[in-house]
Amino acid sequence: MPSAQAIRRLPLAAAIKAVSSGPGAERLSASVSGLNVRFVAKNSEVGPREFVRTVAPRIAYANPALPIAIDRIPDPRSRSLDPRDPGKAAGAGAAWNDGVPGASMVVHFHDRPARTLPLRHLSAAQIWAQLVGVAGEHAVQGIAAPAGAAGAGAGVGDAEATAA
């Protein structure tokens, strides 16, 4: 999928085709009430960044009423621009891996507790497959959902797996 700036320069038909086909271009379950994606904006794994750049716009187009929050965490290894608060929200509440807050996605549901999916070492396609597995929709063709994604032990803070 072309970048957001490239999509703006495409003819309307080509831009619609770009966001209406490919991974993420299908409706999620009606029980999904929102998505929150957290990742370090620079010098981090490419999977979450690629997911936000290519798959998230398709999810937003296919699910216009679904709120999607993207939280780009500043790299805590770089110097802060605010001298009064050097640790300014550098991943508060996120699990840390190798000195960097870990990437995660929280899937909120209307009818059950939210699920937190760790995104470490996953590509954009694997993140989409994990989201589809947790959302309870059909499996993505050609990509298997991570082991346990639809059942027990899929994510950190998985309250429903212990209830099942």
Side-chain angles (χ1 to χ4, degrees):
M1 181 171 137
S3 69
Q5 290 180 347
I7 286 178
R8 288 188 208 121
R9 289 179 271 179
L10 289 174
L12 182 60
I16 290 174
K17 183 179 180 189
V19 295
S20 63
S21 62
E26 62 184 71
R27 294 196 54 82
L28 294 175
S29 171
S31 66
V32 177
S33 64
L35 299 175
N36 292 21
V37 182
R38 292 179 55 93
F39 64 99
V40 174
K42 294 183 179 180
N43 302 322
S44 65
E45 297 179 25
V46 75
R49 289 183 285 143
E50 183 73 14
F51 178 83
V52 167
R53 188 174 71 81
T54 61
V55 180
R58 293 177 183 148
I59 294 171
Y61 183 78
N63 303 277
L66 181 69
I68 301 173
I70 308 296
D71 187 11
R72 291 176 178 88
I73 303 168
D75 190 346
R77 298 170 292 187
S78 64
R79 299 184 76 173
S80 173
L81 297 177
D82 185 2
R84 293 171 287 147
D85 190 9
K88 178 175 68 178
W96 286 60
N97 301 312
D98 301 326
V100 179
S104 65
M105 177 174 11
V106 180
V107 183
H108 299 278
F109 297 96
H110 292 292
D111 57 352
R112 51 188 164 158
R115 299 273 303 264
T116 301
L117 308 173
L119 306 180
R120 189 169 187 194
H121 303 303
L122 296 178
S123 69
Q126 291 169 324
I127 294 170
W128 169 244
Q130 189 173 15
L131 174 61
V132 168
V134 168
E137 291 297 309
H138 347 291
V140 177
Q141 279 188 324
I143 301 174
V156 178
D158 184 5
E160 85 173 299
T162 57

